Amino acid sequence: MKITPIGIWGGYPKANSATSSFLIEHEGFYCLIDCGSGVLSSLQNYLPLEKLDAVVISHYHADHIADIGSLQFSRLINFYLGKPAPALPIYGHVQDQDNFDKLTYKEQTVGVAISEDDIIQIGPFEVSFCQTTHPVYCLAMKFSAAGHSIVLTADTEWRDELVDFARGADLLISEANLYEEHVGKAPGHMGGSEAGKLASLSGAKQLVLTHLPLHGQIEEILEATRQSYDGPSEIAEVGKMYEVF
């Protein structure tokens, strides 16, 4: 499995960048994880849009779905240009029915329902989910293939259930939106120390931080991570391909 950060920011993107999103691939199958602001522009540096095979949405906050409409329109334009393609599946939960319904668009994309109880097959990946602690319903996700796994926490406060969910992950991609002085004071997000604690308790082999704040020095978040986790850890780097094998 290979996974490439497309964007790393939470809330909204910095100039010439994108909100937190990842492109995961295996055996020639490409799946986009979240599709927020700036993601569609960044994605095209690594993959032609028409080669995308699936999209998985963790939740319906704007920084995770803002570019869905643009993605849908890109496929409609290709249809008008005489290059039709099968409807692109976009996986999302149905706890917000209005937003789920918008995942289906003019036979170009089709919404597929997911929940925390599901274990499903998306291309070559076995994908399972875990509800997180966030102001809206949100799903962490685990992609498994060939005996290896990549876990993405999505947006969440500390949640004990994530420890077992991430158990033994080859790569844990954790949100780390808070500086230590804000841990426990801002709902729905974790700090670096909590991301490190999750990696340590779950036995994850590597930790990558994402959904980062737009202010301050984010290296401080990485340093906080290393106080609670002694494995390899780093801030997600857009365009860097992380391989699990």
Side-chain angles (χ1 to χ4, degrees):
M1 289 188 289
K2 302 174 182 178
I3 190 164
T4 303
I6 302 301
I8 64 172
W9 303 108
Y12 65 93
K14 286 192 174 184
N16 305 311
S17 59
T19 54
S20 185
S21 176
F22 291 81
L23 179 67
I24 187 167
E25 60 180 287
H26 186 57
E27 297 179 345
F29 187 95
Y30 295 89
C31 179
L32 181 66
I33 302 166
D34 284 330
C35 190
S37 183
V39 167
L40 208 65
S41 175
S42 180
L43 175 62
Q44 291 174 83
N45 291 311
Y46 313 104
L47 186 75
L49 297 182
E50 62 271 17
K51 290 190 177 296
L52 194 60
D53 295 299
V55 181
V56 183
I57 301 297
S58 62
H59 65 298
Y60 298 116
H61 275 160
D63 54 331
H64 297 263
I65 62 166
D67 274 7
I68 286 290
S70 297
L71 175 60
Q72 292 168 327
F73 197 62
S74 75
R75 299 182 75 83
L76 184 62
I77 289 173
N78 275 345
F79 175 79
Y80 288 148
L81 292 174
K83 297 183 287 185
L88 177 71
I90 304 179
Y91 296 80
H93 68 72
V94 294
Q95 299 296 317
D96 181 338
Q97 190 67 49
D98 287 344
N99 273 308
F100 175 78
D101 289 345
K102 293 175 183 176
L103 300 181
T104 299
Y105 177 76
K106 294 187 177 181
E107 300 182 346
Q108 303 305 313
T109 63
V110 58
V112 182
I114 55 176
S115 76
E116 71 267 23
D117 299 320
D118 290 339
I119 301 175
I120 63 174
Q121 199 73 27
I122 301 178
F125 304 107
E126 181 183 89
V127 187
S128 55
F129 304 93
C130 179
Q131 183 178 355
T132 74
T133 300
H134 199 55
V136 299
Y137 186 86
C138 179
L139 293 172
M141 54 195 79
K142 179 191 297 181
F143 287 75
S144 301
H148 298 281
S149 64
I150 297 173
V151 173
L152 302 97
T153 68
D155 291 14
T156 187
E157 296 176 28
W158 175 264
R159 186 178 178 93
D160 289 341
E161 289 84 349
L162 288 172
V163 175
D164 280 339
F165 185 69
R167 184 77 63 193
D170 293 274
L171 176 61
L172 172 63
I173 299 174
S174 178
E175 82 120 86
N177 192 244
L178 303 179
Y179 291 98
E180 291 306 294
E181 61 266 29
H182 301 134
V183 171
K185 300 176 182 178
H189 296 289
M190 291 195 295
S193 62
E194 293 173 307
K197 177 182 175 183
L198 177 59
S200 181
L201 292 179
S202 66
K205 297 179 178 65
Q206 183 179 0
L207 174 63
V208 171
L209 305 179
T210 188
H211 205 277
L212 300 163
L214 295 139
H215 62 284
Q217 300 297 318
I218 58 175
E219 292 77 12
E220 295 179 12
I221 293 179
L222 180 59
E223 182 58 33
T225 295
R226 290 171 173 168
Q227 300 304 311
S228 51
Y229 175 63
D230 58 9
S233 59
E234 62 184 273
I235 292 169
E237 180 181 340
V238 172
K240 178 178 178 178
M241 183 180 289
Y242 299 83
E243 295 190 58
V244 168
F245 53 86

